[in-house]
Amino acid sequence: MRNIFLVIRREYLVRVKKKSFLIMTLLGPLLFVAFYAVVIWVAIGSVDTKTVQVLDESGLFKNEFKDSETIKFDYLTSSLDSAKANFKGSDANALVYIPENVIKEPKSVRIYAAKNVSMDLKSEIEKVIEKEIEDIKLGQAGITHKILEDSRVNVSSKTISLSEEGEKTSSSGAATVIGGICAFLIYMSVFIYGTQVMRGITEEKTSRIVEVIISSVKPFQLMLGKIIGVALVGLTQFVLWILLTTALTSAASAILSDKMSQQSPEVAQEMQKMQNGMPSSGMPGGNVENPVAEVLGAVSSLNLPLILGCFLFYYLGGYLLYSALFGAVGAAVDNDADTQQFMLPITLPIIFSFVFAQFVLRDPDGTLAFWTSIIPFTSPIIMMVRIPFGVPAWEIALSMVLLVLGFMGTTWLAARIYRVGILMYGKKVSYKELAKWIFYK
């Protein structure tokens, strides 16, 4: 055990002291927060006010085009030829021509501009004209706008879990988001840190350093120490990412709040509504909730301690299972180029797990979800997708036991290959050769 701890300590300290580790640990959360902060910042303050001239020959839209923070409307009374001539020398961005027979021929509306107008501007103009024409036609049919609005109903339901402890509010949206995030983190960590184990073993084998190391450490101890050491590096990086992302997100939120307070009262009010989960006045359906706010508000209804504990277990279990196989591949080859032929059988279950997760999110209690959350090669990702929705305790226990047994099996298999391959040089290894190594005494 002492030798294993020495290898773990060496692998951990060597990797956390690298400049690349420090840079990625600090740069990852910074880039993540900066990306979304810049997007929101640009969305708040980058839109210039546009001027749109309106020539309404029908006389139906005089008071329908309302000025906003981004668009200012100017009504004209001249002829179309005169309006087009004056438009060329003006600062207006667009000229909207509404003919007298617009009710009968709604497609006769024209928008003139020096260059193509944006889709948002075109859509807003068309929306105003469409609404007014609809109101006129409904009025002619004896249906007022108020009757139409009263007939529109938006149903918003709440999901409640019934258990022995009583009723408890739940959220399928929050379960989907949390399960998807956990599965993605495990998917990425298995690839990133498993590959680090493989490359580390290959580098030591190529440089012949391993010949000196195994003179005092058994090959199995060396492999296990490397696997656990890199796992601790991954956990350290995850914890630092979570702490730094939380701190940077709080700081970015404060800065964006100051930016929001500098906007006009109308814009600030609309943004505050969206932030609080209330509908914007420009959104159809007065009682449609903001999905982001709904998900964030429902996170507290989930069993977060269980989710966090299971995430740590499946993160470590999935990593240990696959990194043993990655380590075996690293020991069997002489360089990175030769690893490709052995990588496919290892990476396929991980890729399939991520693909299956999309279907499991739709039916977390189905047959596919059950079996893929029990099989050790797919359970780390699939079970983390299911747990936020609620999984029976016996299924979680069975999945964990099988995952531990799977790790023990892959570790034994990898150790049989590792002990032979680590000192094997200058030979192209095939699957048949690997099978022989497993049964060498």
Side-chain angles (χ1 to χ4, degrees):
M1 289 296 293
R2 181 177 178 274
N3 289 338
I4 294 177
F5 284 121
L6 289 175
V7 176
I8 293 173
R9 181 175 179 273
R10 174 185 174 275
E11 288 294 324
Y12 181 82
L13 293 178
V14 166
R15 294 179 186 279
V16 297
K17 288 181 180 180
K18 285 184 177 180
K19 290 183 179 180
S20 59
F21 175 84
L22 297 175
I23 291 173
M24 286 306 302
T25 302
L26 297 175
L27 202 60
L30 193 62
L31 290 175
F32 176 80
V33 174
F35 174 77
Y36 285 102
V38 168
V39 170
I40 297 173
W41 188 285
V42 170
I44 292 174
S46 66
V47 180
D48 298 327
T49 302
K50 294 179 173 58
T51 302
V52 177
Q53 296 178 348
V54 180
L55 178 58
D56 179 19
E57 292 184 348
S58 67
L60 301 173
F61 302 88
K62 187 171 184 180
N63 297 318
E64 297 303 323
F65 290 97
K66 306 294 184 182
D67 291 346
S68 65
E69 288 296 320
T70 58
I71 303 177
K72 179 183 178 183
F73 293 98
D74 290 336
Y75 288 90
L76 306 178
T77 57
S78 60
S79 64
L80 178 59
D81 292 336
S82 177
K84 289 195 291 186
N86 294 331
F87 173 78
K88 296 178 181 179
S90 66
D91 296 329
N93 299 95
L95 169 63
V96 180
Y97 170 65
I98 305 174
E100 188 175 356
N101 61 341
V102 68
I103 301 295
K104 295 181 179 180
E105 298 182 13
K107 293 185 178 181
S108 60
V109 176
R110 296 290 181 266
I111 300 177
Y112 299 94
K115 55 183 180 180
N116 288 335
V117 296
S118 66
M119 288 298 297
D120 288 342
L121 178 59
K122 182 174 181 291
S123 177
E124 183 164 346
I125 294 171
E126 291 174 348
K127 189 186 301 181
V128 172
I129 297 174
E130 287 174 357
K131 181 179 178 298
E132 182 62 19
I133 294 176
E134 286 177 0
D135 289 345
I136 292 173
K137 289 187 175 182
L138 288 171
Q140 293 174 351
I143 302 174
T144 63
H145 186 69
K146 184 177 184 305
I147 294 175
L148 186 63
E149 287 295 326
D150 292 341
S151 66
R152 292 175 181 170
V153 179
N154 292 305
V155 178
S156 179
S157 63
K158 292 184 178 180
T159 55
I160 300 174
S161 299
L162 297 176
S163 62
E164 296 178 356
E165 301 175 356
E167 297 183 0
K168 183 179 180 182
T169 302
S170 61
S171 171
S172 57
T176 300
V177 171
I178 297 298
I181 291 174
C182 292
F184 179 75
L185 290 176
I186 293 175
Y187 172 80
M188 292 300 297
S189 64
V190 168
F191 268 116
I192 294 173
Y193 300 112
T195 304
Q196 285 188 18
V197 172
M198 182 184 66
R199 288 180 176 174
I201 292 173
T202 304
E203 288 174 3
E204 289 182 353
K205 180 180 177 180
T206 304
S207 61
R208 302 295 179 100
I209 295 176
V210 71
E211 296 179 6
V212 179
I213 296 176
I214 62 173
S215 63
S216 55
V217 179
K218 293 181 179 179
F220 175 77
Q221 295 174 336
L222 178 61
M223 184 190 73
L224 194 60
K226 280 183 170 295
I227 292 172
I228 297 175
V230 175
L232 294 176
V233 172
L235 278 177
T236 302
Q237 196 166 50
F238 268 127
V239 171
L240 291 175
W241 275 347
I242 292 171
L243 295 176
L244 290 173
T245 302
T246 303
L248 291 172
T249 301
S250 301
S253 299
I255 295 173
L256 289 173
S257 297
D258 293 338
K259 176 69 175 177
M260 185 177 66
S261 64
Q262 297 174 6
Q263 302 294 317
S264 64
E266 293 80 3
V267 174
Q269 184 178 7
E270 291 296 316
M271 293 183 63
Q272 193 64 40
K273 285 181 179 180
M274 294 296 293
Q275 187 177 14
N276 294 335
M278 297 173 61
S280 170
S281 60
M283 293 174 59
N287 59 351
V288 178
E289 295 183 356
N290 187 330
V292 176
E294 182 185 0
V295 170
L296 293 177
V299 167
S300 59
S301 67
L302 301 176
N303 192 344
L304 295 180
L306 174 65
I307 294 174
L308 180 59
C310 289
F311 173 78
L312 292 175
F313 177 85
Y314 282 104
Y315 165 80
L316 290 173
Y319 162 78
L320 292 173
L321 185 145
Y322 279 102
S323 61
L325 298 177
F326 279 115
V329 171
V333 299
D334 292 334
N335 52 69
D336 290 338
D338 294 335
T339 62
Q340 302 305 316
Q341 61 175 323
F342 300 111
M343 287 286 288
L344 185 61
I346 299 175
T347 56
L348 274 180
I350 312 175
I351 297 172
F352 281 142
S353 299
F354 197 70
V355 174
F356 290 154
Q358 318 305 317
F359 301 99
V360 173
L361 284 171
R362 301 178 184 176
D363 185 12
D365 297 318
T367 304
L368 176 66
F370 172 78
W371 287 108
T372 51
S373 63
I374 295 299
I375 299 172
F377 290 98
T378 56
S379 63
I381 292 177
I382 302 300
M383 185 57 83
M384 281 314 306
V385 171
R386 295 185 62 201
I387 285 176
F389 290 93
V391 180
W394 71 268
E395 290 188 21
I396 298 177
L398 177 61
S399 175
M400 288 182 171
V401 170
L402 291 178
L403 182 58
V404 172
L405 293 176
F407 161 65
M408 295 172 61
T410 55
T411 303
W412 176 85
L413 183 68
R416 304 290 293 183
I417 297 174
Y418 187 89
R419 67 192 175 99
V420 179
I422 199 67
L423 296 176
M424 187 73 68
Y425 298 98
K427 183 178 181 180
K428 290 290 184 180
V429 182
S430 63
Y431 286 103
K432 184 177 180 180
E433 188 73 21
L434 289 179
K436 291 182 181 179
W437 292 359
I438 294 173
F439 297 102
Y440 277 168
K441 294 183 179 181

